[in-house]
Amino acid sequence: QYPGMNITNYNSANSGSAGLIDFQRSRSSSDGGHTIVQANDKLGEIIFRGADGNGFSDSSAIRAMVDTTPGDGDMPGRLTFSTAADGSASMTERMRIDSAGHVTKPTNLCLQYTRNASTDYSSGTIVYNTLVFDVNSSGAYNTSTGVFTAPVTGVYLIYHEFYAQNNAIAMTQIDKSTNGGSSFSSVKFSPRAGGNSSEYLANGVSFYLQMNANDQFRIVVKEGIVHVNNKYTHLMVQLIQ
């Protein structure tokens, strides 16, 4: 059962061609005119709306745009994909494919934090308590507890930096919780960093972590004394897929 309007195309030709939906756009005010379009002009749009009890509200859209300045035989394109958030009927762009083939997700989670001052940890959770940026203000990282909570299911790239003091060693580990923080299990040990007699030694650790929505991770001291400091050491998290 497919209630409402349906579009079905059947092509039985012995060729490589198929059905076509063709959106054409000109800035001409007369039929058949070919006045050139401009950068950021909309060429076509498909909008999906649903009844909200009082009318039809926007839910999702696919838009085709002119990406940059066009010319004769030159029509750079851009596709955008938009959705409305829960509790809203206003659509926000979620993904873009530009004329160079770059795929960007302007609201995708990406954040970076540092420590507000020189701090040594001999045990417990390492807290990067100063915001550098948090795309779309996700609030996924708690600067009081040092715990990151995944807002959606996906694979997250985690990168963190720390120092070992001179004439000392330091290691960290990444712990993951799947039960709201009731318990954590280690999933990654960092390489051991060791400072020499005259200077601290830095260490940077990257790790991909698959997380379900509401899973959590934290970075804790595994061994020695872990040193973090503003502008020298950071925590970065990015949702990659």
Side-chain angles (χ1 to χ4, degrees), residues 4-186:
M5 186 187 76
N6 300 281
I7 300 175
T8 302
N9 174 266
Y10 175 72
N11 188 332
S12 62
N14 184 17
S15 70
S17 61
L20 173 69
I21 299 176
D22 189 357
F23 295 87
Q24 298 186 7
R25 169 76 196 282
S26 164
R27 274 185 170 257
S28 174
S29 59
S30 59
D31 290 344
H34 292 90
T35 302
I36 191 168
V37 292
Q38 300 176 10
N40 298 312
D41 277 359
K42 189 184 298 182
L43 299 180
E45 180 175 18
I46 302 175
I47 297 181
F48 304 87
R49 297 186 173 104
D52 61 9
N54 292 306
F56 288 98
S57 293
D58 292 348
S59 171
S60 309
I62 303 171
R63 296 182 174 97
M65 316 281 289
V66 181
D67 195 35
T68 58
T69 303
D72 188 9
D74 173 25
M75 192 57 56
R78 177 173 80 237
L79 281 176
T80 64
F81 299 80
S82 302
T83 62
D86 188 18
S88 172
S90 297
M91 294 184 293
T92 301
E93 182 181 320
R94 308 299 186 184
M95 186 172 73
R96 173 180 295 206
I97 307 173
D98 71 11
S99 57
H102 299 130
V103 180
T104 55
K105 302 174 184 178
T107 61
N108 216 38
L109 182 140
C110 186
L111 57 81
Q112 181 170 292
Y113 286 81
T114 186
R115 185 70 195 180
N116 65 328
S118 177
T119 308
D120 293 323
Y121 289 91
S122 59
S123 63
T125 302
I126 302 163
V127 181
Y128 298 82
N129 62 358
T130 302
L131 174 70
V132 179
F133 68 83
D134 182 355
V135 173
N136 209 36
S137 300
S138 71
Y141 183 72
N142 189 315
T143 55
S144 297
T145 64
V147 173
F148 174 89
T149 303
V152 296
T153 298
V155 176
Y156 292 79
L157 173 60
I158 304 164
Y159 176 78
H160 72 282
E161 302 165 325
F162 65 94
Y163 280 90
Q165 295 179 330
N166 54 331
N167 290 321
I169 59 174
M171 289 181 65
T172 63
Q173 69 183 48
I174 299 174
D175 292 344
K176 177 182 176 182
S177 173
T178 59
N179 55 15
S182 297
S183 62
F184 284 84
S185 300
S186 59

